[in-house]
Amino acid sequence: MGRSEELFKRAQKCIPGGVNSPVRAFGAVGGQPFFAERAKGAYLYDADQNRYLDYVCSWGPAILGHAHPEVVEEVQKACVDGLTFGVCTQKEVELAELVTECVPDIEMLRLVNSGTEAVMSSVRVARGFTGRDKIIKFAGNYHGHSDGLLVKAGSGLMTACVPDSAGVPASCAADTLMAVYNDAASVRRLLEENTGQVAAVVVEPVAANMGVVVPKPGFLEELRRLTRAHGALLIFDEVITGFRLALGGATAYTKVSADLHTFGKIIGGGMPLAAYGGKKEIMSCVAPLGPVYQAGTLSGNPVAVTAGLATLRILKAHTEIYDQIDRQGARLEAAYRKRGLTVNRAGSLLSAFFTPGWREGAGGSVENYEDACRCDKDAFARYFWHMLSQGIYVAPSQFEAMFVSAAHTDEMIGDTCKAVEAWRP
Ligand code: KE4
């Protein structure tokens, strides 16, 4: 028995499903999940000394590649000075200032510990600022696991084919209205049917939790217009797109502004750090300045902030990274398209879909949750294990994204394209 198998057996005795996040159990693709031992650059190494070219990148954070030497050095130095203080630090100010510099919509932000916390808090701020209770989300968008947002959510819920979660009171879900991604008319109808009651529309500006689904031209612009017209806030959930699509995130990429943005993953450089922010007028609602309460023991943790600062500073100093990972994403897209797969891509964020008819090269498009649900999950599973057998780790779910890092070389991308070409259904 290999070490991953042995560890998984042990883990299943004391951790639900043997994992600390459902998608890691490989439920959608079957078989035995591997346990990571270390990672460096574009590679992950498992407990059985297998080496994988990693296109999950810890679900997005590792945009520089794993264990970037400058980031690790800064973190090591920070650890020696203390792991947590529960008191303010200069680095928190520096990180906040850097984010406001990179993302013009952000005049003020609050650091938290996870994307879930960031989105949950941004929704509370929207409700506190507007005095309204309802929110509109999109089927297939995933915004973390706070009760009100676990309704027809993407990511691990779509993977498990359970778009809703047990344990969420109907009363809580009642304030969550469901729209169709890329269908602004579905939002307009909900706003008109709930006049004066909608606090915010929360959206993944490029969706990446039903697989990658890019906004159709005009979709985000119409959300901006509709929310303004109805006195609702527009929240861009940028936990994935933030600092991924561009240094300025989705707004730099799409030219559409939002009232609040949430960040996670890259902003923490791989450490547990996330944030939400927006215009001063709105963020001034947040305690202790205003009446919307939000707090956290480890918010702005000095070690996590150090990792985030080091990561964002490298991205700011080397914005050519974005052109590089976009080019690599384009090469991968071409390889998948040659196999007749439908590919959605935004820079270094992409998904290849096994849509009905993909074998005949008549894959069609994936523009929303319903389209994504029609994919051939069995074919995806066979493809996943083929790639892993070639030493290439893609996300173990059709409804997750592929991430390219700055550590993925031309040769690695070439090898990946060959593996895609070699795959026989
Ligand atoms: P976390 O609480 O997992 O840090 O962030 C929640 C979240 C919020 N918003 C968006 C757009 C997200 O994609 C996420 C989390 N992403 C998933 C991957 N699709 C995390 C992976 C997992 O659940 O294990």
Side-chain angles (χ1 to χ4, degrees):
M1 177 187 302
R3 288 206 55 238
S4 280
E5 193 174 349
E6 180 203 319
L7 286 167
F8 192 47
K9 282 195 183 335
R10 279 172 53 191
Q12 285 172 299
K13 294 192 180 92
C14 51
I15 304 171
V19 293
N20 285 310
S21 200
V23 71
R24 303 178 193 172
F26 283 22
V29 293
Q32 160 81 32
F34 64 81
F35 277 53
E37 195 141 83
R38 63 188 179 90
K40 182 69 181 162
Y43 290 110
L44 256 181
Y45 300 82
D46 75 8
D48 297 296
Q49 299 319 306
N50 297 304
R51 186 188 78 170
Y52 303 111
L53 189 51
D54 180 15
Y55 285 100
V56 179
C57 297
S58 181
W59 308 100
I63 191 170
L64 298 177
H66 292 289
H68 188 287
E70 289 173 44
V71 177
V72 170
E73 186 185 352
E74 288 300 312
V75 167
Q76 285 171 329
K77 281 192 296 193
C79 288
V80 171
D81 291 339
L83 300 181
T84 180
F85 312 127
V87 179
C88 305
T89 63
Q90 176 179 325
K91 285 179 182 173
E92 292 165 74
V93 182
E94 289 171 358
L95 180 56
E97 289 170 341
L98 181 53
V99 174
T100 60
E101 192 186 323
C102 296
V103 188
D105 280 352
I106 309 293
E107 293 175 343
M108 196 174 263
L109 75 150
R110 171 61 64 82
L111 301 181
V112 293
N113 299 296
S114 70
T116 293
E117 201 182 349
V119 183
M120 176 181 71
S121 306
S122 70
V123 166
R124 186 179 308 136
V125 167
R127 286 171 163 155
F129 180 75
T130 62
R132 301 175 177 183
D133 291 343
K134 293 188 186 301
I135 55 164
I136 294 173
K137 76 175 287 289
F138 294 87
N141 277 197
Y142 178 70
H143 303 292
H145 62 87
S146 62
D147 280 353
L149 290 163
L150 270 185
V151 183
K152 219 160 186 182
S155 187
L157 292 107
M158 262 181 100
T159 295
C161 299
V162 279
D164 303 316
S165 171
V168 175
S171 58
C172 180
D175 282 330
T176 304
L177 307 175
M178 197 59 55
V180 177
Y181 200 80
N182 274 320
D183 177 359
S186 69
V187 176
R188 178 174 45 74
R189 280 194 297 276
L190 289 170
L191 286 166
E192 289 168 355
E193 290 161 5
N194 299 274
T195 303
Q197 301 174 62
V198 177
V201 172
V202 56
V203 66
E204 290 183 55
V206 170
N209 285 291
M210 44 183 157
V212 174
V213 176
V214 299
K216 288 164 76 171
F219 173 61
L220 295 178
E221 290 84 350
E222 186 61 3
L223 293 189
R224 179 65 285 180
R225 191 190 67 75
L226 285 167
T227 46
R228 278 221 175 91
H230 286 265
L233 298 189
L234 180 58
I235 300 175
F236 274 0
D237 177 352
E238 294 219 57
V239 168
I240 283 186
T241 60
F243 309 102
R244 165 63 59 181
L245 300 181
L247 190 63
T251 295
Y253 191 78
T254 67
K255 311 305 177 212
V256 179
S257 279
D259 298 300
L260 289 169
H261 297 245
T262 62
F263 302 99
K265 300 180 192 275
I266 293 172
I267 195 175
M271 298 292 280
L273 186 148
Y276 65 99
K279 293 287 180 270
K280 262 202 186 93
E281 181 197 9
I282 300 171
M283 291 299 288
S284 298
C285 282
V286 181
L289 208 46
V292 178
Y293 193 72
Q294 180 269 310
T297 303
L298 296 175
S299 294
N301 172 271
V303 178
V305 168
T306 298
L309 256 182
T311 300
L312 297 194
R313 283 171 173 162
I314 292 168
L315 289 169
K316 181 167 180 268
H318 299 282
T319 51
E320 70 278 5
I321 284 173
Y322 289 103
D323 290 337
Q324 175 193 328
I325 57 183
D326 174 54
R327 267 196 319 277
Q328 305 296 34
R331 288 183 63 197
L332 293 170
E333 175 180 0
Y336 284 111
R337 285 188 183 284
K338 263 172 71 180
R339 299 305 313 274
L341 296 173
T342 296
V343 179
N344 290 340
R345 179 174 72 88
S348 61
L349 191 60
L350 66 153
S351 288
F353 291 95
F354 289 77
T355 47
W358 70 271
R359 291 174 192 278
E360 297 75 36
S365 61
V366 178
E367 298 177 353
N368 56 40
Y369 174 80
E370 300 304 332
D371 291 347
C373 285
R374 281 195 281 271
C375 286
D376 180 344
K377 294 190 273 293
D378 294 338
F380 178 87
R382 291 192 296 275
Y383 148 77
F384 169 82
W385 288 109
H386 160 74
M387 296 299 274
L388 203 67
S389 72
Q390 303 299 303
I392 297 167
Y393 175 48
V394 297
S397 164
Q398 169 73 91
F399 306 119
E400 297 291 355
M402 239 177 136
F403 298 88
V404 182
S405 83
H408 285 82
T409 64
D410 286 348
E411 187 184 358
M412 293 170 186
I413 299 295
D415 291 345
T416 307
C417 294
K418 287 190 190 108
V420 172
E421 179 53 38
W423 179 59
R424 291 295 168 261

